[in-house]
Amino acid sequence: MRDLCFHHPRNKEELVGILRGLGQQKEPFVFYAGGTDVSPGLKLQRNPPKHIIFLGDLTSVKEMKQITMGAGALSLGAMCTLEEVATHPLILDKLVSVASTAQKVASPQIRHKATIGGNVLVDNRCLFYNQSKFNQDVHGACFKASGSVCQLVPSARPGDETLCRARSVSDLVPVLMVLNTALQVYGPKGARKIFMSAFYSPDGISRNTLSADEFLTHLEIPLNFHGHISYQKLRIREAVDFPSVGVAVGLFEDSVRVCVTGVDTHPHFRIYRRSDFCSLELLTEEAIAVASKSITILKQDFFPSSYRKKMIGVYIKRGIGQSK
């Protein structure tokens, strides 16, 4: 057993102070909210961080725990559970696609603990990384496990722009990205807004543009859209599993938006203007062709890569067809 240091900030200022102190000491840490992904991850890591910051004690930060509607947008607190997201009357009324997607995450037991913030910031996964220390010792620790190799791309070297190919696996991110969601984060310099379409990094280790001394407080989802959004997911089991492929499709009056997750280091998001195509069928063909060419699917999953690539096209076609 390793010695652990637990932190219980009661407000945003205390949390910023903790983050500043740990940063000055160069001490690694992990946020603990629902803990459904963090807990098993800590057991698998070779050198888990000593410092664990519990976010459940931030009782005074209402925007992190509430679901409210403001001027043209719905505010969704980062500490809201996925079960709350799936069943809240406001979301069922205004953002039914978000509620239905939340219901597809994991299992009922996990959804009662897991948070929307955790799903948005969930760590990237890889078939070689998310294993026991014994398993990692057999093939050697990868870059994400502080090693010096990538089992997926043996030619990868320190300094490469994309060093780690662990895949992004959030179910809710594609739907939220299609909705043009913005993230509100807080740090030593105060609050700032980051649109989700510009938030994710191409590297599987850094994952996103959130600074080490910043944390997510809430999401702002615009309500000025008029269209239909669907999300489809490929997984081995109907419960528990992360997406092997996840595709969100939004059909709007002026555009079709497509976002793919579960296959690369970051979500692949594109907007197709309907005025650029003679028909919706041609737009569908273009979206499938672009996804096939731009997304390289590596063997980070139990499904064959060729099958996963084919299912992206199937889901895009189904999503646009369902949205008509």
Side-chain angles (χ1 to χ4, degrees), residues 13-24:
E13 290 67 30
E14 282 190 16
L15 179 50
V16 168
I18 292 171
L19 296 177
R20 183 185 295 111
L22 294 177
Q24 292 172 349

Side-chain angles (χ1 to χ4, degrees), residues 11-284:
N11 52 56
K12 291 190 293 187
E13 290 67 30
E14 282 190 16
L15 179 50
V16 168
I18 292 171
L19 296 177
R20 183 185 295 111
L22 294 177
Q24 292 172 349
Q25 299 169 26
K26 297 184 178 180
E27 289 278 0
F29 65 89
V30 64
F31 287 123
Y32 193 102
T36 56
D37 192 53
V38 170
S39 293
L42 289 173
K43 295 177 183 178
L44 293 177
Q45 290 183 34
R46 289 170 168 264
N47 299 299
K50 176 182 177 181
H51 296 269
I52 300 178
I53 303 174
F54 284 89
L55 301 181
D57 295 331
L58 294 170
T59 54
S60 67
V61 189
K62 294 182 179 180
E63 69 264 35
M64 294 186 69
K65 297 175 175 290
Q66 295 182 345
I67 299 174
T68 57
M69 190 165 59
L74 187 140
S75 176
L76 182 53
M79 289 294 293
C80 293
T81 68
L82 295 179
E83 184 64 20
E84 291 172 329
V85 174
T87 60
H88 196 280
L90 271 177
I91 298 179
L92 289 171
D93 180 40
K94 303 293 184 180
L95 296 165
V96 65
S97 59
V98 175
S100 62
T101 301
Q103 289 177 338
K104 295 180 181 179
V105 179
S107 65
Q109 296 90 336
I110 291 176
R111 288 195 295 272
H112 275 83
K113 291 287 292 181
T115 63
I116 178 68
N119 194 262
V120 168
L121 300 174
V122 66
D123 196 6
N124 286 25
R125 299 182 68 84
C126 176
L127 191 64
F128 294 95
Y129 172 73
N130 294 97
Q131 302 291 340
S132 66
K133 181 179 179 299
F134 174 80
N135 182 286
Q136 292 181 7
D137 285 339
V138 171
H139 51 66
C142 65
F143 291 119
K144 194 169 176 65
S146 302
S148 57
V149 68
C150 176
Q151 281 80 19
L152 295 169
V153 184
S155 61
R157 295 291 182 271
D160 292 352
E161 180 182 1
T162 304
L163 184 63
C164 169
R165 265 71 174 188
R167 61 195 180 95
S168 175
V169 291
S170 170
D171 283 301
L172 280 160
V173 162
V175 173
L176 295 170
M177 203 172 282
V178 165
L179 286 165
N180 197 31
T181 299
L183 304 177
Q184 285 286 354
V185 303
Y186 192 86
K189 297 180 180 179
R192 70 181 179 111
K193 178 189 290 188
I194 314 171
F195 281 96
M196 194 170 274
S197 56
F199 181 63
Y200 293 96
S201 161
D203 189 83
I205 297 176
S206 58
R207 307 193 322 273
N208 56 59
T209 60
L210 194 69
S211 300
D213 56 0
E214 291 181 318
F215 55 93
L216 176 64
T217 60
H218 61 285
L219 296 76
E220 292 181 354
I221 310 175
L223 298 175
N224 58 353
F225 69 92
H226 301 282
H228 182 274
I229 300 171
S230 65
Y231 176 72
Q232 299 171 86
K233 174 180 180 178
L234 174 67
R235 52 182 167 176
I236 296 174
R237 297 167 291 188
E238 282 303 304
V240 181
D241 288 334
F242 288 100
S244 296
V245 170
V247 179
V249 175
L251 189 67
F252 302 93
E253 293 179 359
D254 61 341
S255 65
V256 173
R257 304 176 186 181
V258 177
C259 190
V260 181
T261 191
V263 293
D264 203 352
T265 58
H266 60 288
H268 281 256
F269 176 57
R270 283 185 177 267
I271 298 176
Y272 300 89
R273 299 192 180 280
R274 298 182 69 165
S275 59
D276 294 338
F277 300 88
C278 297
S279 66
L280 200 55
E281 286 70 24
L282 289 175
L283 189 154
T284 303

